[in-house]
mmCIF file of all heavy atoms in Angstrom:
data_model
loop_
_atom_site.group_PDB
_atom_site.id
_atom_site.type_symbol
_atom_site.label_atom_id
_atom_site.label_comp_id
_atom_site.label_asym_id
_atom_site.label_seq_id
_atom_site.Cartn_x
_atom_site.Cartn_y
_atom_site.Cartn_z
ATOM 1 N N ILE A 164 1.426 39.033 -211.054
ATOM 2 C CA ILE A 164 2.332 39.666 -212.067
ATOM 3 C C ILE A 164 2.911 40.989 -211.311
ATOM 4 O O ILE A 164 2.360 41.537 -210.441
ATOM 5 C CB ILE A 164 1.663 40.223 -213.293
ATOM 6 C CG1 ILE A 164 0.430 41.095 -213.046
ATOM 7 C CG2 ILE A 164 1.248 39.088 -214.259
ATOM 8 C CD1 ILE A 164 0.024 42.017 -214.112
ATOM 9 N N LYS A 165 4.118 41.262 -211.849
ATOM 10 C CA LYS A 165 4.807 42.517 -211.276
ATOM 11 C C LYS A 165 5.128 43.379 -212.492
ATOM 12 O O LYS A 165 5.674 42.891 -213.552
ATOM 13 C CB LYS A 165 6.102 42.057 -210.591
ATOM 14 C CG LYS A 165 5.886 41.025 -209.573
ATOM 15 C CD LYS A 165 6.067 41.682 -208.111
ATOM 16 C CE LYS A 165 5.712 40.678 -207.005
ATOM 17 N NZ LYS A 165 5.918 41.170 -205.765
ATOM 18 N N VAL A 166 4.944 44.747 -212.314
ATOM 19 C CA VAL A 166 5.343 45.645 -213.395
ATOM 20 C C VAL A 166 6.898 45.765 -213.283
ATOM 21 O O VAL A 166 7.379 46.009 -212.176
ATOM 22 C CB VAL A 166 4.670 47.024 -213.196
ATOM 23 C CG1 VAL A 166 5.223 47.975 -214.274
ATOM 24 C CG2 VAL A 166 3.175 46.908 -213.311
ATOM 25 N N ALA A 167 7.607 45.729 -214.350
ATOM 26 C CA ALA A 167 9.076 45.730 -214.441
ATOM 27 C C ALA A 167 9.481 46.745 -215.509
ATOM 28 O O ALA A 167 8.629 47.325 -216.232
ATOM 29 C CB ALA A 167 9.652 44.410 -214.629
ATOM 30 N N ASP A 168 10.730 46.867 -215.670
ATOM 31 C CA ASP A 168 11.435 47.611 -216.750
ATOM 32 C C ASP A 168 11.091 49.098 -216.517
ATOM 33 O O ASP A 168 10.208 49.610 -217.273
ATOM 34 C CB ASP A 168 11.058 47.149 -218.164
ATOM 35 C CG ASP A 168 12.286 47.558 -219.049
ATOM 36 O OD1 ASP A 168 12.945 48.463 -218.728
ATOM 37 O OD2 ASP A 168 12.321 46.955 -220.180
ATOM 38 N N PHE A 169 11.781 49.722 -215.716
ATOM 39 C CA PHE A 169 11.570 51.214 -215.431
ATOM 40 C C PHE A 169 12.535 52.143 -216.136
ATOM 41 O O PHE A 169 12.801 53.200 -215.815
ATOM 42 C CB PHE A 169 11.665 51.433 -213.867
ATOM 43 C CG PHE A 169 10.475 50.708 -213.221
ATOM 44 C CD1 PHE A 169 10.601 49.366 -212.854
ATOM 45 C CD2 PHE A 169 9.257 51.335 -213.046
ATOM 46 C CE1 PHE A 169 9.528 48.772 -212.231
ATOM 47 C CE2 PHE A 169 8.241 50.714 -212.418
ATOM 48 C CZ PHE A 169 8.370 49.392 -212.029
ATOM 49 N N GLY A 170 13.185 51.575 -217.250
ATOM 50 C CA GLY A 170 14.120 52.325 -218.023
ATOM 51 C C GLY A 170 13.548 53.531 -218.649
ATOM 52 O O GLY A 170 14.272 54.523 -218.914
ATOM 53 N N LEU A 171 12.284 53.558 -218.983
ATOM 54 C CA LEU A 171 11.726 54.690 -219.728
ATOM 55 C C LEU A 171 10.858 55.566 -218.835
ATOM 56 O O LEU A 171 10.250 56.542 -219.203
ATOM 57 C CB LEU A 171 10.887 54.221 -220.898
ATOM 58 C CG LEU A 171 11.555 53.664 -222.110
ATOM 59 C CD1 LEU A 171 10.553 53.343 -223.264
ATOM 60 C CD2 LEU A 171 12.661 54.610 -222.568
ATOM 61 N N VAL A 172 10.907 55.181 -217.510
ATOM 62 C CA VAL A 172 9.979 55.940 -216.473
ATOM 63 C C VAL A 172 10.509 57.336 -216.384
ATOM 64 O O VAL A 172 11.679 57.686 -216.412
ATOM 65 C CB VAL A 172 10.004 55.224 -215.153
ATOM 66 C CG1 VAL A 172 9.373 56.204 -214.072
ATOM 67 C CG2 VAL A 172 9.282 53.945 -215.164
ATOM 68 N N ARG A 173 9.501 58.397 -216.321
ATOM 69 C CA ARG A 173 9.873 59.701 -216.213
ATOM 70 C C ARG A 173 9.044 60.365 -215.173
ATOM 71 O O ARG A 173 7.810 59.941 -215.038
ATOM 72 C CB ARG A 173 9.752 60.477 -217.448
ATOM 73 C CG ARG A 173 10.771 60.082 -218.544
ATOM 74 C CD ARG A 173 12.241 60.391 -218.344
ATOM 75 N NE ARG A 173 13.092 60.086 -219.349
ATOM 76 C CZ ARG A 173 13.641 58.931 -219.497
ATOM 77 N NH1 ARG A 173 13.335 57.825 -218.649
ATOM 78 N NH2 ARG A 173 14.379 58.649 -220.483
ATOM 79 N N PRO A 174 9.486 61.460 -214.533
ATOM 80 C CA PRO A 174 8.487 62.101 -213.581
ATOM 81 C C PRO A 174 7.571 62.988 -214.364
ATOM 82 O O PRO A 174 7.999 63.454 -215.441
ATOM 83 C CB PRO A 174 9.450 63.017 -212.701
ATOM 84 C CG PRO A 174 10.702 63.106 -213.522
ATOM 85 C CD PRO A 174 10.801 61.929 -214.452
ATOM 86 N N LEU A 175 6.337 63.110 -213.845
ATOM 87 C CA LEU A 175 5.356 63.923 -214.550
ATOM 88 C C LEU A 175 5.661 65.387 -214.239
ATOM 89 O O LEU A 175 5.426 65.660 -212.989
ATOM 90 C CB LEU A 175 3.904 63.557 -214.195
ATOM 91 C CG LEU A 175 3.466 62.153 -214.638
ATOM 92 C CD1 LEU A 175 2.289 61.695 -214.014
ATOM 93 C CD2 LEU A 175 3.247 62.289 -216.218
ATOM 94 N N GLY A 176 6.059 66.164 -214.958
ATOM 95 C CA GLY A 176 6.469 67.607 -214.583
ATOM 96 C C GLY A 176 5.301 68.578 -214.710
ATOM 97 O O GLY A 176 4.376 68.373 -215.475
ATOM 98 N N GLY A 177 5.454 69.621 -213.952
ATOM 99 C CA GLY A 177 4.629 70.772 -214.166
ATOM 100 C C GLY A 177 3.128 70.595 -213.745
ATOM 101 O O GLY A 177 2.729 69.395 -213.367
ATOM 102 N N THR A 178 2.327 71.590 -214.015
ATOM 103 C CA THR A 178 0.947 71.560 -213.606
ATOM 104 C C THR A 178 0.068 70.635 -214.590
ATOM 105 O O THR A 178 -0.948 70.210 -214.273
ATOM 106 C CB THR A 178 0.389 72.942 -213.627
ATOM 107 O OG1 THR A 178 0.807 73.634 -214.796
ATOM 108 C CG2 THR A 178 0.781 73.694 -212.400
ATOM 109 N N ARG A 179 0.711 70.445 -215.903
ATOM 110 C CA ARG A 179 -0.076 69.772 -216.795
ATOM 111 C C ARG A 179 0.107 68.328 -216.708
ATOM 112 O O ARG A 179 -0.555 67.485 -217.489
ATOM 113 C CB ARG A 179 0.303 70.267 -218.246
ATOM 114 C CG ARG A 179 -0.074 71.750 -218.464
ATOM 115 C CD ARG A 179 0.236 72.207 -219.795
ATOM 116 N NE ARG A 179 -0.525 71.490 -220.814
ATOM 117 C CZ ARG A 179 -0.393 71.687 -222.172
ATOM 118 N NH1 ARG A 179 0.620 72.385 -222.613
ATOM 119 N NH2 ARG A 179 -1.018 71.028 -222.990
ATOM 120 N N GLY A 180 0.982 67.813 -215.808
ATOM 121 C CA GLY A 180 1.046 66.425 -215.519
ATOM 122 C C GLY A 180 1.498 65.640 -216.834
ATOM 123 O O GLY A 180 1.015 64.640 -217.134
ATOM 124 N N ARG A 181 2.501 66.238 -217.500
ATOM 125 C CA ARG A 181 2.961 65.587 -218.823
ATOM 126 C C ARG A 181 4.481 65.505 -218.768
ATOM 127 O O ARG A 181 5.118 66.333 -218.085
ATOM 128 C CB ARG A 181 2.545 66.448 -220.038
ATOM 129 C CG ARG A 181 1.115 66.552 -220.276
ATOM 130 C CD ARG A 181 0.747 66.958 -221.666
ATOM 131 N NE ARG A 181 1.663 68.125 -222.223
ATOM 132 C CZ ARG A 181 1.712 68.362 -223.489
ATOM 133 N NH1 ARG A 181 0.968 67.704 -224.372
ATOM 134 N NH2 ARG A 181 2.452 69.350 -223.875
ATOM 135 N N TYR A 182 5.027 64.619 -219.566
ATOM 136 C CA TYR A 182 6.433 64.558 -219.865
ATOM 137 C C TYR A 182 6.625 64.713 -221.303
ATOM 138 O O TYR A 182 6.005 63.931 -222.083
ATOM 139 C CB TYR A 182 7.076 63.288 -219.318
ATOM 140 C CG TYR A 182 8.524 63.112 -219.852
ATOM 141 C CD1 TYR A 182 9.536 63.796 -219.217
ATOM 142 C CD2 TYR A 182 8.785 62.335 -221.028
ATOM 143 C CE1 TYR A 182 10.875 63.618 -219.743
ATOM 144 C CE2 TYR A 182 9.960 62.141 -221.470
ATOM 145 C CZ TYR A 182 11.010 62.769 -220.897
ATOM 146 O OH TYR A 182 12.246 62.675 -221.375
ATOM 147 N N VAL A 183 7.334 65.679 -221.751
ATOM 148 C CA VAL A 183 7.632 65.760 -223.268
ATOM 149 C C VAL A 183 8.994 65.437 -223.564
ATOM 150 O O VAL A 183 9.910 65.881 -222.941
ATOM 151 C CB VAL A 183 7.191 67.240 -223.759
ATOM 152 C CG1 VAL A 183 7.509 67.344 -225.287
ATOM 153 C CG2 VAL A 183 5.814 67.591 -223.356
ATOM 154 N N MET A 184 9.203 64.512 -224.530
ATOM 155 C CA MET A 184 10.536 64.040 -224.825
ATOM 156 C C MET A 184 11.395 65.186 -225.317
ATOM 157 O O MET A 184 10.935 65.977 -226.148
ATOM 158 C CB MET A 184 10.366 62.976 -225.986
ATOM 159 C CG MET A 184 9.915 61.602 -225.526
ATOM 160 S SD MET A 184 9.576 60.476 -226.853
ATOM 161 C CE MET A 184 11.145 60.236 -227.538
ATOM 162 N N GLY A 185 12.591 65.121 -225.016
ATOM 163 C CA GLY A 185 13.618 66.188 -225.328
ATOM 164 C C GLY A 185 14.214 65.924 -226.737
ATOM 165 O O GLY A 185 14.657 66.907 -227.303
ATOM 166 N N GLY A 186 14.169 64.784 -227.189
ATOM 167 C CA GLY A 186 14.829 64.535 -228.548
ATOM 168 C C GLY A 186 14.466 63.064 -229.014
ATOM 169 O O GLY A 186 13.682 62.377 -228.327
ATOM 170 N N PRO A 187 14.931 62.668 -230.173
ATOM 171 C CA PRO A 187 14.602 61.380 -230.628
ATOM 172 C C PRO A 187 15.207 60.292 -229.900
ATOM 173 O O PRO A 187 16.387 60.276 -229.615
ATOM 174 C CB PRO A 187 15.110 61.374 -232.093
ATOM 175 C CG PRO A 187 16.099 62.422 -232.096
ATOM 176 C CD PRO A 187 15.756 63.448 -231.020
ATOM 177 N N ARG A 188 14.338 59.339 -229.306
ATOM 178 C CA ARG A 188 14.770 58.099 -228.643
ATOM 179 C C ARG A 188 13.753 57.019 -229.036
ATOM 180 O O ARG A 188 12.708 57.239 -229.514
ATOM 181 C CB ARG A 188 14.533 58.388 -226.986
ATOM 182 C CG ARG A 188 15.456 59.381 -226.395
ATOM 183 C CD ARG A 188 16.781 59.048 -226.365
ATOM 184 N NE ARG A 188 17.056 57.847 -225.448
ATOM 185 C CZ ARG A 188 17.229 57.870 -224.161
ATOM 186 N NH1 ARG A 188 17.140 59.008 -223.540
ATOM 187 N NH2 ARG A 188 17.488 56.850 -223.422
ATOM 188 N N PRO A 189 14.322 55.835 -229.001
ATOM 189 C CA PRO A 189 13.374 54.642 -229.355
ATOM 190 C C PRO A 189 12.153 54.585 -228.529
ATOM 191 O O PRO A 189 12.331 54.580 -227.220
ATOM 192 C CB PRO A 189 14.264 53.460 -229.363
ATOM 193 C CG PRO A 189 15.547 53.828 -228.694
ATOM 194 C CD PRO A 189 15.676 55.316 -228.593
ATOM 195 N N ILE A 190 10.915 54.459 -229.017
ATOM 196 C CA ILE A 190 9.753 54.370 -228.254
ATOM 197 C C ILE A 190 8.891 53.177 -228.839
ATOM 198 O O ILE A 190 8.971 52.944 -230.012
ATOM 199 C CB ILE A 190 8.921 55.602 -228.122
ATOM 200 C CG1 ILE A 190 8.536 56.157 -229.424
ATOM 201 C CG2 ILE A 190 9.578 56.588 -227.163
ATOM 202 C CD1 ILE A 190 7.477 57.152 -229.389
ATOM 203 N N PRO A 191 8.219 52.376 -228.129
ATOM 204 C CA PRO A 191 7.350 51.396 -228.534
ATOM 205 C C PRO A 191 6.085 51.738 -229.316
ATOM 206 O O PRO A 191 5.109 51.917 -228.811
ATOM 207 C CB PRO A 191 7.023 50.534 -227.235
ATOM 208 C CG PRO A 191 7.055 51.552 -226.204
ATOM 209 C CD PRO A 191 7.985 52.596 -226.526
ATOM 210 N N TYR A 192 6.308 52.099 -230.595
ATOM 211 C CA TYR A 192 5.304 52.717 -231.496
ATOM 212 C C TYR A 192 3.786 52.092 -231.360
ATOM 213 O O TYR A 192 2.923 52.870 -231.049
ATOM 214 C CB TYR A 192 5.699 52.590 -232.980
ATOM 215 C CG TYR A 192 6.203 53.745 -233.522
ATOM 216 C CD1 TYR A 192 7.541 54.174 -233.217
ATOM 217 C CD2 TYR A 192 5.465 54.503 -234.312
ATOM 218 C CE1 TYR A 192 8.013 55.374 -233.743
ATOM 219 C CE2 TYR A 192 5.912 55.734 -234.808
ATOM 220 C CZ TYR A 192 7.255 56.166 -234.526
ATOM 221 O OH TYR A 192 7.772 57.246 -234.980
#
Side-chain angles (χ1 to χ4, degrees):
I164 54 156
K165 305 254 175 173
V166 178
D168 204 343
F169 293 88
L171 289 186
V172 168
R173 294 292 181 278
L175 291 166
T178 45
R179 297 182 65 189
R181 297 197 315 167
Y182 166 81
V183 180
M184 284 168 70
R188 294 288 295 272
I190 54 167
Y192 257 78

